[in-house]
Amino acid sequence: MSQVCDILGRDKKLFFDDLNMESKNSDIKSDVNLIADFTEYNPLHNGHFHCMKTAKHMFPESLFVAIVPGLFERSGRGIPYILPREIRAEIAISVGADIVVEGPPMGIMGSGQYSLCLCKMFKNLNTDYIPRGYKPLDGFDEILKRINMGHHIAPRPYKIIDKTTGEIILKDKLEEDNYVITSFSNSLSKIGFDYTNKFIFVERIEGVSGTLIRESIQRDNFDDVVDMMPSKTIEVLKREIKNDSIIYGIRDVESILNTANNFNFNELAGLNLFNDKLAENIIKNRPYSSLEELEKAILHGFSSHFHQRVLSILENPIPKKTISDYIDKYPSNIRILGYKNKECLEKFEKKVNNENISLFNGLKDC
């Protein structure tokens, strides 16, 4: 628990430091090609490794930059990550990434908000190529083709629209990986980033189960998943289990209950993803002495992970107006979590469009 509290306290300071930092952007020209891959690496498995290898094989002279979220160590589902981001960065560098930068605080944002932040990061990195894994689906090839033609593809409930032509090109609900691709297209179009022929679409490989991997970590037994992850991932996981540094599922319960029990109506209703009805229900059923009691008062939301997102927001109670200001300025600072060597770091600094670049937590050469 103390490790998680330390992380959350540190990251709250980093969040407000970034919020109060003045952006310094420049129009840099560089002959270096940059591949920017967003992924959580929770943990880095063979699916991630396959996507990385495919992109690096296609453009071997390019700088491979992994965007790894991020502040508060909560996933897009609102669930605590398995490993802190600096350890996830260590694994990424060890298997082939040249640079790892910190992505947005996914756990306290809505999916559209962090998609927008990621796309603003792609733009700031002056990205040339974006690899994305996808799952084959009837009709989805047409969507991928149009995206690489630069069309503005936008997801809507149970349909996908080509806003460039005005057509409905798919009537279906997309799975998560495929939905992310259309969401990126929508957000990149909104910020005016030309992504024509920038996406590298990589078909997902079979034989990797996130559920089995998480279970193996909790049992400290990797016999059933040894073929699902690079050996370096397993090596680091075993090391961090031995060091009692796995943070998966661990929350700052005291802070969550304090927020739920003591914030007034306006303070709760003003939190990101909250509305009046949710705030009223939390106040009506308090006080709470456990997360189990609190979860019963959290209303159903727009996704199956809404409860976990609400817990992450109560854990880090930042007003929605502050989140909006943060997104407007994002990324005011590009924080490097890891890098292969100084040559890669110098190439990166000359490539990106943001003059505010910092190293995470006294980072030294990897």
Side-chain angles (χ1 to χ4, degrees):
M1 175 66 74
S2 61
Q3 181 190 11
V4 169
C5 291
D6 289 346
I7 288 171
L8 296 179
R10 174 201 67 193
D11 287 358
K12 186 173 182 180
K13 181 181 184 304
L14 290 174
F15 176 91
F16 283 101
D17 285 347
D18 290 347
L19 178 65
N20 295 323
M21 185 177 293
E22 290 301 320
S23 300
K24 294 182 180 179
N25 296 324
S26 57
D27 188 15
I28 291 177
K29 302 297 181 184
S30 170
D31 58 359
V32 174
N33 279 336
L34 187 148
I35 301 169
D37 181 25
F38 160 72
T39 186
E40 297 178 273
Y41 291 151
N42 187 39
L44 191 152
H45 54 60
N46 285 344
H48 302 130
F49 191 36
H50 172 67
C51 192
M52 179 190 293
K53 288 189 296 183
T54 300
K56 286 170 65 74
H57 177 74
M58 291 177 66
F59 302 99
E61 301 303 316
S62 296
L63 201 64
F64 189 97
V65 179
I67 305 169
V68 173
L71 293 168
F72 308 115
E73 299 296 353
R74 272 78 185 112
S75 73
R77 299 178 179 183
I79 300 170
Y81 285 121
I82 292 167
L83 294 167
R85 58 192 180 279
E86 62 267 31
I87 307 300
R88 289 181 279 142
E90 175 193 342
I91 298 172
I93 294 293
S94 73
V95 300
D98 296 307
I99 302 284
V100 181
V101 301
E102 181 184 274
M106 295 177 66
I108 62 170
M109 290 182 167
S111 57
Q113 290 176 320
Y114 67 73
S115 176
L116 179 60
C117 283
L118 285 166
C119 289
K120 292 176 77 171
M121 178 65 82
F122 289 141
K123 188 173 183 178
N124 262 247
L125 294 179
N126 202 9
T127 301
D128 296 289
Y129 304 107
I130 304 170
R132 286 307 306 169
Y134 74 98
K135 188 173 182 178
L137 172 74
D138 286 346
F140 198 63
D141 284 348
E142 178 64 20
I143 292 174
L144 300 183
K145 183 181 81 173
R146 293 189 186 213
I147 287 174
N148 259 344
M149 291 169 62
H151 286 213
H152 181 178
I153 306 300
R156 295 289 183 267
Y158 295 98
K159 62 183 176 182
I160 305 299
I161 298 173
D162 184 336
K163 297 187 75 172
T164 301
T165 65
E167 299 170 84
I168 296 174
I169 51 177
L170 185 68
K171 291 185 178 180
D172 201 352
K173 184 177 181 180
L174 296 177
E175 293 188 24
E176 187 172 357
D177 285 352
N178 292 357
Y179 179 88
V180 166
I181 291 172
T182 59
S183 182
F184 278 168
S185 169
N186 191 37
S187 296
L188 287 167
S189 296
K190 287 181 178 179
I191 64 172
F193 185 75
D194 183 4
Y195 48 89
T196 304
N197 293 323
K198 287 187 182 293
F199 277 95
I200 304 168
F201 295 119
V202 181
E203 186 174 334
R204 284 177 52 185
I205 62 172
E206 300 295 328
V208 176
S209 168
T211 300
L212 288 178
I213 289 172
R214 285 187 288 274
E215 289 175 355
S216 73
I217 293 167
Q218 292 171 318
R219 295 195 314 267
D220 189 13
N221 185 334
F222 297 92
D223 292 347
D224 294 335
V225 296
V226 68
D227 294 328
M228 296 183 187
M229 295 178 283
S231 58
K232 181 64 177 181
T233 297
I234 297 175
E235 175 190 325
V236 171
L237 284 169
K238 288 181 176 179
R239 183 192 75 195
E240 296 305 312
I241 291 171
K242 185 177 181 181
N243 292 338
D244 197 25
S245 297
I246 301 296
I247 61 173
Y248 179 66
I250 302 175
R251 290 193 178 277
D252 182 357
V253 177
E254 183 178 347
S255 290
I256 295 171
L257 296 180
N258 180 65
T259 304
N261 284 326
N262 296 305
F263 269 39
N264 63 37
F265 171 78
N266 289 332
E267 289 171 326
L268 284 174
L271 295 177
N272 206 35
L273 306 188
F274 271 63
N275 57 29
D276 290 358
K277 192 173 181 180
L278 176 57
E280 288 170 355
N281 212 55
I282 287 178
I283 289 173
K284 181 177 70 175
N285 290 282
R286 66 191 189 188
Y288 307 98
S289 59
S290 69
L291 291 189
E292 289 74 21
E293 290 179 4
L294 174 59
E295 285 194 67
K296 292 177 183 177
I298 299 174
L299 303 172
H300 292 294
F302 47 82
S303 77
S304 58
H305 311 296
F306 184 68
H307 279 211
Q308 293 298 322
R309 287 188 177 188
V310 169
L311 291 180
S312 290
I313 290 164
L314 291 170
E315 193 174 35
N316 306 282
I318 300 173
K320 61 183 72 175
K321 174 62 169 63
T322 304
I323 295 288
S324 179
D325 292 342
Y326 179 87
I327 294 170
D328 286 344
K329 297 182 70 173
Y330 189 85
S332 59
N333 175 41
I334 295 179
R335 195 155 27 246
I336 296 174
L337 302 175
Y339 59 95
K340 184 178 179 180
N341 52 45
K342 286 189 175 179
E343 181 183 359
C344 290
L345 183 60
E346 289 171 0
K347 287 181 179 179
F348 177 79
E349 290 172 338
K350 292 176 181 177
K351 172 69 174 177
V352 301
N353 292 327
N354 194 320
E355 295 181 19
N356 293 334
I357 300 174
S358 64
L359 300 182
F360 176 78
N361 205 23
L363 179 70
K364 296 180 180 179
D365 283 1
C366 298

